[in-house]
Amino acid sequence: MNFELSTIIALGGGYLALLFGIAFITERGWIPTKIVRHPIIYVLALGVFASIWSYYTSIGRALRDGYGYLAGSIGISLAFLLSPLLLRPLLELTRTYQLSSLADLMAFRYRSPWAGTATTLVILITVTPLIALQIRTVADTAYILSPEIAQGFLATGFCIAITLFSILFGTSHKAGRRQHDGLLMAIAFESLVKLVAFLAVGAFAIYGGFGSLDGLDQWLQEQPELIDSLKNTGYSNTFHVTVLLFFAATIAMPHMFYVTFNENSGQKALSFASWGLPLYFLLLSLPVLPILWAGLQSGSSVPVEYFPVVIGDAYQAPLFSLLAYLGGLSAASALIIVITLALSNMCLNHLILPISQPKASQNIYRWLLWKRRILITIIIWAGFLFHYLPSEQISLQVIGITAFAACLQFMPGIIAILYWPIANKKGFISG
C-alpha cells in the first residue's frame, strides 16, 4: 500500500482533534447529563479493555488457537456476569472508603502502606510494556499504509497528542473522586468507533473478499486445514489459562479498575454492564474469523495481526484500510489515556507521597496536580522508549500475556478482601 503521508497524518490528527472536541464540549456541559451518565456510555467506556489485544492480536490467536481467540472475551464477560459476587461488593468498598485504585484497596484492606507500594511497583513495571505495545502498533500500521512514514516521527506525534489529552482532561480542576465526564465521553466514543470499524471491516471481508457468505463457505470447503484448526482448539491448556488471565485482569488492570469503580455512576450502571459489556465483546469477536480468512486468501505478506488494515487495499477498497487503521488508533489511544491516568494516581499516592510531601507554605492542590501531570508524562514516554525494543525479540502476544499474567498475581489478594477475613499483609506481600 502507498497512501499519501498527508492522508495518514490528517486522519490521525483529525481524529485526535475530534476527541479533544468531544471532551471539551462535555466538560462545558453542552451534552445533557442524562446522556453523559447513561449506562450505555458507561458500558462503552468499559470497552477500553478492548485494546490492541482484542483488535489486532485476536486475528493471530485465531490462526494459532482456533476458537481459543474467544478466551479473552469469555474471561472478561465472566467477571461482569458474576458482578454480584465480585464487582458489586468491591464497588461498595471503594465508594465507602474513597479508594481510587487497586493499590489503595490493598493498602486499606491489609493495613500496610507496603502492600500499596508493592502493588504499584508490580503493576507499573508490567503494564508499561503494554503502553509500548499500543504505540508500536499505531506506528507499524501507519507504516504499512504509507511506507514513506518515519515510524519514530509518527510515534512521537501520537505520544505528544495523548500526553496533552491526558493532562487536559484527566487532571482538570474536577479531578479527584468526581467523575471526569469529558474523559468518559471521549473514551466511550472511541469504543464505539473501534466497534463500528471492526464490524465494517469484517462485513467487507465477507462481501468484498468472497462475494457473499456462500462464497466464503465454498472457499472454506477448499481449505480443510483451517476448519481442522478451529476444531483443534487447546481447551485443556492455554484456553482455560487465558480465560483466567483475563478474568483477573478485568479487576486488577489499572484502567479497568479506574473505569469500573471510579467512573461508575451507581449500581444501576454496573447491573447494566453485567450484560452490556459481554454483548460488546461478543460483537467485537464476530469479525475476527472473516478478517483472518480474507487476509489469508489475499496472500498478504504482512503479519497476520495486521490483516485488518490490508484487506481493504487487497480487494480494491482502500477506504476500509483507513477505517481499520482508525479503529486501531481508537483502541490504542483509549487504553494509553486511561491506563496512564490510573497509574499516575497510584504512583503519586504510593511512591511519591510516602517520601515527599508539599511544604506548609505551598498550595497543596497545585503541588499534587503538577506531580500527577509529570507522572503522566513520564509513564507515556517510558512506554515510548520501551517500544523501540526489537519486535523480533518481544512479540505483541508476549507483551500482552506478560501484563495479564502479572495481574493474576493479585487475584488471591482480591478474593481474600471479600471472603477471607483472616488474610494479612505478610501473606499478601509474600504471595
Side-chain angles (χ1 to χ4, degrees), residues 26-368:
T26 305
E27 291 288 338
R28 295 293 297 270
W30 296 353
I31 299 179
T33 303
K34 65 180 181 179
I35 295 178
V36 176
R37 302 291 175 86
H38 196 280
I40 292 179
I41 300 299
Y42 177 65
V43 170
L44 288 173
L46 286 168
V48 68
F49 204 172
S51 63
I52 292 303
W53 179 269
S54 299
Y55 196 85
Y56 288 125
T57 311
S58 58
I59 309 295
R61 286 186 58 81
L63 179 63
R64 289 183 292 268
D65 303 330
Y67 290 120
Y69 82 92
L70 294 168
S73 297
I74 291 173
I76 297 164
S77 300
L78 282 176
F80 276 85
L81 289 171
L82 297 175
S83 61
L85 300 176
L86 190 60
L87 300 182
R88 190 170 296 175
L90 289 174
L91 176 62
E92 290 293 334
L93 194 60
T94 57
R95 282 179 170 271
T96 302
Y97 297 100
Q98 300 288 287
L99 307 173
S100 62
S101 69
L102 182 65
D104 288 353
L105 185 63
M106 295 303 184
F108 170 79
R109 164 60 179 85
Y110 297 106
R111 300 181 182 180
S112 169
W114 289 107
T117 301
T119 300
T120 301
L121 285 173
V122 171
I123 290 180
L124 178 64
I125 292 170
T126 54
V127 170
T128 299
L130 198 60
I131 297 174
L133 172 61
Q134 317 304 310
I135 298 170
R136 175 187 292 177
T137 306
V138 170
D140 285 351
T141 51
Y143 181 75
I144 290 171
L145 293 175
S146 181
E148 63 181 295
I149 287 180
Q151 290 176 277
F153 169 76
L154 190 138
T156 301
F158 176 65
C159 288
I160 290 173
I162 294 302
T163 302
L164 290 175
F165 185 94
S166 301
I167 289 174
L168 288 175
F169 298 105
T171 62
S172 66
H173 65 282
K174 295 182 179 181
R177 284 298 298 174
R178 289 186 61 180
Q179 287 183 299
H180 298 73
D181 291 338
L183 172 68
L184 199 68
M185 280 295 292
I187 299 304
F189 176 76
E190 291 201 287
S191 293
L192 183 61
V193 167
K194 64 191 171 195
L195 177 61
V196 171
F198 209 45
L199 289 173
V201 174
F204 173 77
I206 296 173
Y207 295 99
F210 300 98
S212 65
L213 287 171
D214 290 337
L216 171 60
D217 182 64
Q218 182 179 353
W219 183 81
L220 285 174
Q221 297 306 318
E222 300 169 358
Q223 312 292 327
E225 70 280 0
L226 291 179
I227 302 298
D228 290 340
S229 68
L230 289 177
K231 295 178 180 178
N232 295 330
T233 300
Y235 293 108
S236 62
N237 43 59
T238 59
F239 184 88
H240 291 106
V241 172
T242 305
V243 170
L244 183 60
L245 289 177
F246 276 78
F247 181 90
T250 303
I251 307 163
M253 276 286 186
H255 54 300
M256 283 303 291
F257 192 100
Y258 182 88
V259 177
T260 303
F261 302 118
N262 288 14
E263 301 296 339
N264 180 279
S265 59
Q267 294 287 0
K268 179 182 177 181
L270 188 59
S271 297
F272 192 90
S274 67
W275 63 266
L277 192 64
L279 175 61
Y280 179 89
F281 276 94
L282 171 63
L283 294 174
L284 201 63
S285 66
L286 294 178
V288 170
L289 291 176
I291 291 173
L292 170 64
W293 294 331
L296 292 175
Q297 181 186 241
S298 72
S300 175
S301 60
V302 304
V304 176
E305 286 81 3
Y306 296 145
F307 276 177
V309 297
V310 300
I311 61 172
D313 189 72
Y315 296 105
Q316 289 75 53
L319 179 62
F320 283 94
S321 288
L322 294 176
L323 183 62
Y325 173 72
L326 191 63
L329 182 64
S330 298
S333 55
L335 181 133
I336 294 175
I337 290 168
V338 181
I339 212 168
T340 50
L341 291 177
L343 278 175
S344 67
N345 187 44
M346 292 171 66
C347 291
L348 179 61
N349 290 340
H350 299 281
L351 299 182
I352 303 299
L353 287 177
I355 60 175
S356 176
Q357 294 86 30
K359 298 178 182 178
S361 58
Q362 288 180 295
N363 183 318
I364 296 177
Y365 174 75
R366 184 178 179 83
W367 187 91
L368 293 172

